[in-house]
Amino acid sequence: MKKLLMMLLALCLCAGMVAGCGGGDKKAAAPQKALKVGTEPTFAPFEFQKKDSKDFDGFDMDLIRAIGQKMNAKVEIQNMGFDALIPALNAGNIDIAIAGMSITPERQKAIDFSEPYYKSGLVVVVNKDNTTTKSIADLKGKKIAVQIGTTGADKAGKVEGAKVTAFNTNAEVFLELKNKGVDAVIIDSPVAAYYLVQGGKDSAKIVGDVMEAESYGIAFKKGSKLTAEANKALADLHKSGEYDKLYQKWFGNAAKAK
Ligand code: GLN
């Protein structure tokens, strides 16, 4: 009998401890929601992985982390092909895509975009020793490398007689140019400028003017409630000066003038 009482007492104590722990948990901050973010990290300085690192670095990565903080959410970034981002949003595999993605009417049919967060455009990059290509007009019938599913790929597709090769990553795109597998690359101007500054200028150069006025937007599944939340966070970051700080960190004044 005594044994039984002791066992009951012990049981009560255990239950009490468990309940106590539960109570403690309740007092702690509500668990943060996780936001699954997709990107394609060969697009420096917007998204890239440093050599031998799996960490995501760049302007977009800082921006989405700051937005996540404002939304009281944990940002979980994952790597995928650029052309896989929109299908992944639609399938619900990711909540957000941020990848220097230009807002286009075509894409707007499939997904929702945040307010524009960066003004961009396209340029032609050729090898330094190329003296005949001065602009896109000289690319007729030439070989052009692009990243698959990008606005650069669309632009290249409109060049008369050009043979366009689409690669999964921009690393391959630039390598193909360096190896002289193609005559030119069509890519976003800030990414081309960064590539040249990071050492690409030893073998490559930008020719002609910046083409197309494109704006980057953060992408969401159509009808997602997150779009308004992210827009509010983005507006707050503009107001507080945090956006400007990030812009300065990644582009500086010199880059602004380009
Ligand atoms: N801005 C271009 C586009 O949206 C390229 C983006 C990228 O290569 N990450 O198509």
Side-chain angles (χ1 to χ4, degrees):
M1 188 62 190
K2 205 173 170 193
K3 237 187 190 169
L4 196 68
L5 267 174
M6 287 294 278
M7 263 172 71
L8 272 172
L9 193 69
L11 260 176
C12 283
L13 268 174
C14 278
M17 269 166 66
V18 170
C21 285
D25 266 357
K26 259 180 230 147
K27 262 176 242 151
Q32 282 190 321
K33 61 181 172 220
L35 289 177
K36 279 187 250 155
V37 176
T39 196
E40 194 291 304
T42 66
F43 202 62
F46 295 90
E47 38 270 327
F48 59 98
Q49 289 167 303
K50 284 198 200 111
K51 222 173 167 264
D52 302 323
S53 166
K54 289 256 173 285
D55 293 344
F56 295 95
D57 210 354
F59 177 75
D60 283 354
M61 304 294 94
D62 281 352
L63 186 65
I64 200 63
R65 287 188 185 108
I67 287 174
Q69 215 165 32
K70 292 259 174 231
M71 289 166 70
N72 191 31
K74 206 168 114 229
V75 166
E76 288 167 2
I77 299 169
Q78 53 183 284
N79 179 349
M80 48 181 66
F82 187 77
D83 60 337
L85 292 168
I86 292 178
L89 283 172
N90 283 331
N93 293 337
I94 53 171
D95 305 303
I96 296 176
I98 184 162
M101 193 185 282
S102 303
I103 302 171
T104 67
E106 173 105 75
R107 287 175 182 156
Q108 277 172 319
K109 283 183 207 149
I111 46 162
D112 286 344
F113 280 104
S114 68
E115 291 297 324
Y117 68 88
Y118 186 91
K119 279 195 172 60
S120 191
L122 298 170
V123 288
V124 173
V125 184
V126 296
N127 280 317
K128 222 170 150 180
D129 56 11
N130 181 334
T131 50
T132 51
T133 310
K134 304 257 187 281
S135 77
I136 193 162
D138 301 318
L139 290 182
K140 284 185 193 130
K142 299 274 194 246
K143 289 188 218 148
I144 310 173
V146 294
Q147 187 181 27
I148 197 161
T150 59
T151 49
D154 290 344
K155 187 82 183 167
K158 289 180 194 136
V159 177
E160 209 186 299
K163 187 180 172 302
V164 181
T165 315
F167 291 88
N168 282 323
T169 68
N170 288 306
E172 293 163 283
V173 169
F174 281 126
L175 196 64
E176 189 69 1
L177 178 69
K178 198 171 180 178
N179 291 341
K180 308 213 163 163
V182 288
D183 303 291
V185 159
I186 299 183
I187 196 164
D188 296 43
S189 84
V191 172
Y194 193 81
Y195 171 73
L196 295 187
V197 169
Q198 294 294 309
K201 65 175 176 316
D202 292 345
S203 64
K205 62 182 178 184
I206 292 174
V207 290
D209 296 327
V210 176
M211 310 170 286
E212 316 290 327
E214 298 186 358
S215 287
Y216 296 164
I218 305 165
F220 305 86
K221 187 178 184 157
K222 264 223 166 300
S224 168
K225 288 193 186 85
L226 295 172
T227 313
E229 282 183 51
N231 276 334
K232 160 103 182 47
L234 189 60
D236 286 349
L237 292 172
H238 274 294
K239 248 181 263 160
S240 68
E242 277 172 86
Y243 176 94
D244 285 344
K245 249 190 231 155
L246 289 184
Y247 194 99
Q248 199 61 29
K249 171 178 168 188
W250 289 103
F251 309 107
N253 281 329
K256 235 184 245 186
K258 266 178 202 135

